[in-house]
Amino acid sequence: MSGKKDLSKDVLSAVNKKTGKPVSESAVKKLASGVTEDTMQSEEELKKLIMSVSAMAKVPVTDKTINDIVGAVKKSGMNMSNLETLMKIMLLKK
């Protein structure tokens, strides 16, 4: 569906704008291809994912922020089908 494609471009644009650092679409796709349902359920895997995103965007992230994100994902019961919602929330967070 084109809605998902538009979201990915919107997300990439928002990330680049907020970080002030260019993140390529191919880098995002490569990282996203490794995300599985298990990633969303494992605290260790979530932390690795957050650190990978941080490194890719060249934006440092504190242990507290990592723990806050992991806690939010676990509390919400986040899964692959509603990962899009998490991305939207994170982009709106200041």
Side-chain angles (χ1 to χ4, degrees):
M1 294 199 154
S2 63
K4 288 187 184 235
K5 192 168 193 159
D6 292 341
L7 174 67
S8 64
K9 290 185 188 283
D10 291 345
V11 168
L12 187 60
S13 175
V15 167
N16 287 331
K17 184 176 178 181
K18 283 192 176 250
T19 64
K21 300 180 173 68
V23 176
S24 73
E25 185 174 355
S26 62
V28 172
K29 285 181 179 180
K30 182 178 178 182
L31 182 63
S33 70
V35 176
T36 65
E37 193 71 38
D38 290 338
T39 305
M40 303 306 290
Q41 303 303 318
S42 165
E43 186 170 325
E44 187 64 32
E45 290 298 314
L46 277 171
K47 287 181 179 183
K48 286 181 188 177
L49 176 62
I50 294 163
M51 292 304 295
S52 295
V53 172
S54 172
M56 179 180 60
K58 298 179 182 100
V59 175
V61 62
T62 65
D63 287 340
K64 181 186 180 324
T65 300
I66 291 171
N67 291 331
D68 288 348
I69 294 169
V70 169
V73 169
K74 293 232 174 240
K75 183 178 178 182
S76 71
M78 185 68 57
N79 59 42
M80 293 298 287
S81 65
N82 58 9
L83 182 58
E84 185 176 304
T85 303
L86 175 64
M87 292 172 62
K88 288 178 181 178
I89 292 168
M90 290 173 67
L91 288 172
L92 294 174
K93 187 176 180 183
K94 295 187 181 199

